[in-house]
Amino acid sequence: MALTATDWWVVVGYLLINLLIGIYYRSRAAGSTEEFFISGRNVSWWLAGTSMVATTFAADTPLLVSGLVARNGIAGNWLWWSLCLSGMMTVFFFARYWRRAEILTDVELVELRYGGAPAAFLRGFRALYLGVLMNCLILGWVTKAMVDIITVLLGSVLDEGRVLTLGLGGHVLGHYTLGPPAHSALLICVLVLIPFTGIYTFIGGLWGVLVTDLFQFVLKMTMIIVLAWVAVARLGGIAALKLQLGVVAAATQRSGQATGPLLAFLPSFRLGWTSDAIWTLPVLTFVLFLGVQWWASWYPGAEPGGGGYVAQRMFSAKDEKNSLAATLWFNIAHYALRPWPWIITGLVALAVYSPHGGLAPNLEFAAQPEKGYVLVLRDFLPPALRGVMVAAFLAAFMSTIGTQLNWGSSYIINDFYRRFLVRRAPEKHYVLISKLVIVLLVIISGYTAAHIESIQSAWELLLGIGAGTGAVYLLRWYWWRISAWSEISSMIAAFVVSLSLRSFHLSGSSSVVFAKNALYTTAATTVVWIVVTLLTPPETETTLLGFYRRVHPSIYGWKHIAALAPDMAPIRDAGGNTLDWILGVVLVYGCLFGIGKLVLEDWWKGGGLLLIAALAGYGIYWDLNRRGWSTFSGRADPPPIAD
């Protein structure tokens, strides 16, 4: 793919806009860690919610979806579609609580909810576990995706053995002989793109990240729609795409491979629970996703009960209403509005590059179906839009990197460095150390990216080592008996069981093996944390009362603690929240499948599903206006968190 001078100027202009935004917000970010990490708790719902969407729209996401479609058909997206159940639960059961807690990071909640040495250990451990290990794993796979993109787009420029001359102001600084294209692409990410993102991140803090996220989201949404539109138009429209996919299916069946219904939104139940047919999801895996994974597994952006950078955006919201509205907008946009341009482009890639019946069979696609998305970009997009599309991929990459760097450093500074090492330094000292930590995370993420084999394997590893912990994160808000030992034991059990199972050879396809591992890990982890909870002493009444006064959770599961605070009117909102959660799920899935039916030209079903979604949305609006967007009813001054 040859980029013209105009294309390069577009890319440079995009980078400069991001840098200028960071510089514009530098004065706000330099004042305190509260400004640097949560924008002074003064962000409107639409900006906070859009930033959540932009962060989860990473460079790896279109590639992952393209790979899922190539392997498991449209139904393969239940790997992440199922997490809508958890996301909508966060909206109606937890968003208000997170904002009401008035903390800087979700890890800080540990010493608000629990007390003593176990809570202090858990806070420090989770700060390093999430801020370094998990954060750098995420940074690594996002970087891995960007390496794949650069390798495909600039492969001819990065040919192995080619000599690049480096110069400045007419003076030759040296010559660089390129190695394999993937190595050169990794160097571009690690030495140019990530450091550049780090610059505007530590200059502008979260304000800089939020505003660049808004700009980046508009750019990348526009371009993925343009790419899908252009690719389908080049094939002759949706009808021609379906026809060509039928040719691919027939050729694949003749080759001896079993196939499922490629365009179906649900897996094929007639093929059995553990079918290894391509273009369908094994029913066992679907049951795991829809029945267990959404509440049992920790995953960034869809944590049971909320957490991570989603919680960070909730902390930054102006009030409880903005916190709830931001999270609601995020879930609608994330699950319902974004997927179809990716899916359609993935279908085009399968129709064109499939080794069986494709219009232009491609060995690179056969080996790594995730690259199909970039191949379509390279081969179908007209030259005038190439630079804009490269900028859009940079936006997808940098929006996630920027958030991960800011989010990860918030754990390391607030929950480890300031909590355990340097307790009472000036605010500017902590802001300075935060910037140094961002540099350290940049270095570690580059090393991680070089050792990740595939994007999907990294996703599955992350889901596996968090399987079974989700129930604790949900119940700690609603059951007083959950203790620090509950969280500690669940994390250890999930990590040990998940990694131990990887040494066993379970039968079935990769999707079936993943489902079995997750089910076994969830079952073992759940047994462990329940036993540990019942055998260890509960938190003290003083600690529990402090949490109750600060967060004011629903009285169910807190009755004897609520009795110690007679000045606080009890909240009984479980029924209303459950109704809104169900309506929210109907709203998102109605929009998701309604839009999908319209895109595939099934007009009546698409229109009907969108009508159902609209009615569900109205029901939520009516109920929240009736009950109140905020359930806060007053509280005494909360005790300080341990310091």
Side-chain angles (χ1 to χ4, degrees):
M1 175 179 172
L3 296 182
T4 66
T6 301
D7 295 328
W8 286 113
W9 277 115
V10 169
V11 172
V12 171
Y14 159 77
L15 295 174
L16 286 177
I17 290 173
N18 286 274
L19 181 59
L20 291 173
I21 291 172
I23 293 173
Y24 180 81
Y25 286 101
R26 71 188 186 282
S27 59
R28 291 195 188 186
S32 67
T33 50
E34 187 167 286
E35 284 287 353
F36 189 81
F37 290 127
I38 55 173
S39 301
R41 306 187 196 278
N42 195 35
V43 180
S44 298
W45 67 269
W46 56 270
L47 182 57
T50 302
S51 179
M52 296 181 200
V53 187
T55 298
T56 54
F57 186 161
D60 66 296
T61 324
L63 277 67
L64 175 78
V65 171
S66 183
L68 289 173
V69 169
R71 294 186 181 95
N72 302 114
I74 292 178
N77 286 282
W78 282 104
L79 171 67
W80 62 288
W81 284 350
S82 62
L83 299 177
C84 168
L85 295 166
S86 175
M88 276 299 171
M89 185 169 281
T90 298
V91 174
F92 299 110
F93 285 89
F94 303 104
R96 300 180 182 98
Y97 295 167
W98 280 116
R99 181 60 183 85
R100 208 175 293 166
E102 293 187 351
I103 50 184
L104 198 67
T105 69
D106 60 310
V107 172
E108 190 176 345
L109 180 75
V110 167
E111 287 193 292
L112 175 63
R113 175 62 177 80
Y114 315 122
F121 166 78
L122 179 60
R123 182 177 177 182
F125 175 76
R126 280 182 63 82
L128 296 180
Y129 179 75
L130 297 177
V132 179
L133 177 63
M134 289 298 203
N135 190 37
C136 288
L137 178 61
I138 297 167
L139 287 167
W141 91 50
V142 172
T143 303
K144 163 68 175 174
M146 197 63 198
V147 167
D148 289 344
I149 293 166
I150 293 174
T151 302
V152 173
L153 296 184
L154 302 179
S156 60
V157 178
L158 302 178
D159 285 341
E160 185 170 6
R162 181 170 180 173
V163 177
L164 293 182
T165 301
L166 306 179
L168 180 65
H171 300 283
V172 176
L173 301 179
H175 303 280
Y176 176 69
T177 302
L178 296 174
H183 293 175
S184 299
L186 179 61
L187 288 176
I188 291 173
C189 288
V190 174
L191 300 181
V192 179
L193 298 180
I194 297 179
F196 183 86
T197 308
I199 290 172
Y200 77 71
T201 300
F202 74 59
I203 289 176
L206 187 62
W207 273 116
V209 171
L210 291 172
V211 178
T212 53
D213 276 353
L214 177 63
F215 164 61
Q216 291 164 350
F217 175 71
V218 173
L219 173 63
K220 53 197 179 183
M221 273 302 300
T222 301
M223 289 311 300
I224 65 170
I225 293 172
V226 168
L227 177 60
W229 183 282
V230 169
V232 171
R234 290 277 297 274
L235 288 184
I238 290 293
L241 172 62
K242 290 181 179 179
L243 184 63
Q244 178 56 30
L245 289 172
V247 173
V248 170
T252 304
Q253 291 167 358
R254 287 196 299 271
S255 71
Q257 289 183 278
T259 63
L262 174 61
L263 299 181
F265 296 171
L266 295 172
S268 176
F269 291 86
R270 64 178 177 79
L271 294 176
W273 278 70
T274 58
S275 169
D276 59 356
I278 63 171
W279 303 340
T280 190
L281 196 66
V283 175
L284 176 65
T285 309
F286 176 71
V287 169
L288 166 75
F289 291 161
L290 204 58
V292 178
Q293 179 176 274
W294 65 270
W295 61 264
S297 294
W298 182 94
Y299 183 79
E303 299 89 343
Y309 52 78
V310 172
Q312 183 190 43
R313 302 309 193 266
M314 289 188 275
F315 302 150
S316 71
K318 292 180 178 180
D319 51 33
E320 290 180 32
K321 180 177 181 179
N322 278 273
S323 176
L324 187 152
T327 317
L328 179 60
W329 160 237
F330 159 61
N331 280 276
I332 294 171
H334 177 60
Y335 293 106
L337 303 184
R338 290 189 323 188
W340 287 104
W342 298 335
I343 293 171
I344 292 301
T345 305
L347 292 173
V348 170
L350 187 61
V352 175
Y353 305 117
S354 171
H356 305 292
L359 294 172
N362 186 289
L363 294 178
E364 199 170 8
F365 175 79
Q368 290 184 280
E370 290 88 355
K371 289 187 177 181
Y373 194 92
V374 194
L375 292 170
V376 172
L377 188 165
R378 183 193 68 186
D379 297 340
F380 282 75
L381 208 60
L385 293 175
R386 286 176 180 171
V388 183
M389 194 67 204
V390 171
F393 263 113
L394 290 177
F397 177 66
M398 294 166 65
S399 63
T400 301
I401 294 294
T403 287
Q404 294 294 143
L405 293 175
N406 184 277
W407 168 62
S409 64
S410 72
Y411 287 150
I412 297 169
I413 297 301
N414 186 65
D415 302 300
F416 186 78
Y417 182 79
R418 176 155 58 183
R419 173 65 181 86
F420 298 103
L421 300 181
V422 180
R423 294 195 173 193
R424 290 177 175 82
E427 282 294 305
K428 290 190 176 181
H429 169 80
Y430 294 118
V431 173
L432 174 62
I433 300 301
S434 300
K435 296 176 180 180
L436 296 177
V437 168
I438 286 174
V439 175
L440 177 63
L441 292 175
V442 167
I443 296 171
I444 299 175
S445 65
Y447 175 82
T448 307
H451 292 80
I452 289 179
E453 294 182 2
S454 75
I455 300 167
Q456 186 167 344
S457 65
W459 271 54
E460 292 178 351
L461 172 64
L462 199 63
L463 286 167
I465 60 181
T469 60
V472 177
Y473 301 140
L474 294 171
L475 290 174
R476 63 185 178 181
W477 300 92
Y478 284 91
W479 186 29
W480 69 275
R481 191 60 181 81
I482 296 292
S483 68
W485 291 112
S486 307
E487 283 202 34
I488 293 170
S489 61
S490 69
M491 291 179 67
I492 293 173
F495 189 85
V496 171
V497 174
S498 176
L499 294 186
S500 298
L501 286 173
R502 295 174 73 89
S503 62
F504 290 88
H505 298 288
L506 301 176
S507 61
S509 65
S510 59
S511 296
V512 171
V513 170
F514 168 71
K516 290 180 178 179
N517 280 335
L519 287 170
Y520 296 154
T521 303
T522 298
T525 301
T526 302
V527 170
V528 168
W529 76 255
I530 290 176
V531 170
V532 169
T533 299
L534 297 178
L535 293 181
T536 54
E539 302 296 336
T540 65
E541 286 190 345
T542 301
T543 298
L544 295 172
L545 181 59
F547 175 79
Y548 183 82
R549 286 190 173 277
R550 173 79 74 95
V551 175
H552 203 183
S554 179
I555 194 172
Y556 310 107
W558 290 89
K559 289 185 178 179
H560 82 284
I561 301 299
L564 303 176
D567 56 310
M568 300 181 68
I571 293 177
R572 295 180 172 87
D573 59 356
N577 290 342
T578 301
L579 173 63
D580 289 339
W581 173 54
I582 294 171
L583 290 174
V585 171
V586 172
L587 167 63
V588 170
Y589 286 143
C591 287
L592 171 65
F593 300 131
I595 293 171
K597 289 294 184 182
L598 292 181
V599 168
L600 295 174
E601 299 183 343
D602 192 343
W603 309 112
W604 286 105
K605 288 182 180 178
L609 287 167
L610 290 178
L611 177 60
I612 293 172
L615 293 174
Y618 176 78
I620 294 170
Y621 181 77
W622 172 82
D623 187 60
L624 289 176
N625 282 334
R626 177 182 63 88
R627 296 193 298 124
W629 290 71
S630 170
T631 56
F632 173 65
S633 58
R635 64 173 184 270
D637 291 336
I641 297 174
D643 188 13

